[in-house]
Each structure stands twice: as structure tokens, then as C-alpha cells.
Amino acid sequence: MRTTAFRALTAVATVTLLGITAPQASAADGSVADTKVALSPKASKETRAIAVAEPKAAQAAANLCGSGYELWIAERLPDASRKGTLFLYNNSDLTAACAIFDNNTNSAKYMKLKLCENQVNPKCAVDEGTFSQYAGPVRITGNYVFCSKFTALMKDSASAGSYTINRQDYATPCN
């Protein structure tokens, strides 16, 4: 009887622990190192190099976005110092896009990740707050994904005046 109760308690504790820690997992934690990430045919040489150099992070970000996405952009931000890594995924017909903004500083930072449709009054998906692991995933779908734009911001706190990272560009191919 004690053995059965101990096993049940252990199982509940394990499931509870996994449930508490899973959302806090960093995109850098990844899953299986040898799992390949689907790459967009339009992915740059730099994006491909990051996916090869950081397969766990690229795969973990892909897992957060879900199935059907291809990695289009992986970018170390603000530069090679890599305080953050931006991962942008889209599907092959450009009707869906997903973004993850990985925090690589080993401390909690205010982060904002925004993905906006390509139209005059765009609908935007936003995730912002103080994160120790990542912001996102944020997703947009529909007819206005083509030429959509992203914003990735990071600073020490919400009230801090200057940004460590302030990057805006296209989130999906435009040609």
C-alpha cells in the first residue's frame, strides 16, 4: 500500500513539476539536438548558419510556433553579442507567420515582440512584459501576412529610458 501511494505521489509531483516548469523553458533549451528545423527557401545564409550553430534554440522556437512553419529569419540581436535572438517562421504560402524573441542575457528583461499585418490599419499580435526566457510566440494569419512587419524591443526594465535591442523589419518575404 505504501509503495503504491509513494508511486502515485511521485507521479503527481513529476507531472506538477513539469507543468510548472514547461512554460518557463527557454527556446535555447530545445528538445533533441539532432532534430532538423524546416528552413524557408528564402532563408538567408546567416539564418542557415544560426540554425546549424544553435539547433536546440531553433527547434525549441519552432516547437513553440507549432507545425507547418519554416524558419525564415534567425537573427542575433543587437549584433554578434547576442543579447537576444529573433526567430521568425512562416508557412509556405505566406498565410501564417510566427515569431519568438529569445532572451539570451541570463536575467529578466522587459521585452516586447510585435507582429503586424501588412495593411493601413493592421491587426497586430503582441507579447510584452518582463521575461527571463523569451517573448512570444506571436502569430498572425490571413491575407495580410505577406510583407508583414515585426518589432523586437528589449531594455532593462519597463521604465528604463534606452533600449538594449530596438529592431524593426519585415517579418515575411516581400518579393
Side-chain angles (χ1 to χ4, degrees):
M1 180 76 166
R2 282 186 173 174
T3 303
T4 304
F6 178 75
R7 285 182 184 158
L9 182 59
T10 302
V12 169
T14 301
V15 169
T16 302
L17 180 62
L18 289 174
I20 292 171
T21 61
Q24 298 299 315
S26 170
D29 293 342
S31 55
V32 181
D34 60 353
T35 303
K36 304 222 184 233
V37 172
L39 287 168
S40 167
K42 295 186 182 253
S44 70
K45 183 172 89 172
E46 293 80 12
T47 291
R48 292 172 189 278
I50 290 171
V52 168
E54 302 169 29
K56 286 183 179 182
Q59 182 61 46
N63 288 344
L64 290 168
C65 284
S67 63
Y69 288 97
E70 301 171 328
L71 180 60
W72 182 54
I73 293 175
E75 186 176 357
R76 293 177 175 128
L77 298 172
D79 49 37
S81 67
R82 193 179 156 230
K83 298 197 184 322
T85 306
L86 178 69
F87 294 97
L88 290 167
Y89 296 83
N90 56 59
N91 64 357
S92 59
D93 63 359
L94 297 179
T95 58
C98 177
I100 305 289
F101 183 19
D102 213 1
N103 177 349
N104 304 126
T105 67
N106 295 319
S107 64
K109 301 287 183 189
Y110 169 81
M111 300 172 72
K112 181 176 183 178
L113 179 60
K114 182 166 73 169
L115 195 53
C116 296
E117 299 172 329
N118 178 23
Q119 58 179 338
V120 175
N121 294 310
K123 292 180 186 171
C124 298
V126 180
D127 189 21
E128 69 179 302
T130 301
F131 303 112
S132 61
Q133 302 297 318
Y134 57 85
V138 293
R139 296 175 188 84
I140 58 173
T141 59
N143 296 329
Y144 300 103
V145 172
F146 184 74
C147 275
S148 56
K149 294 186 177 180
F150 75 85
T151 301
L153 304 172
M154 178 188 282
K155 56 186 179 175
D156 287 336
S157 68
S159 61
S162 62
Y163 289 96
T164 306
I165 296 172
N166 184 349
R167 179 83 169 98
Q168 300 172 19
D169 206 344
Y170 290 100
T172 56
C174 289
N175 52 7

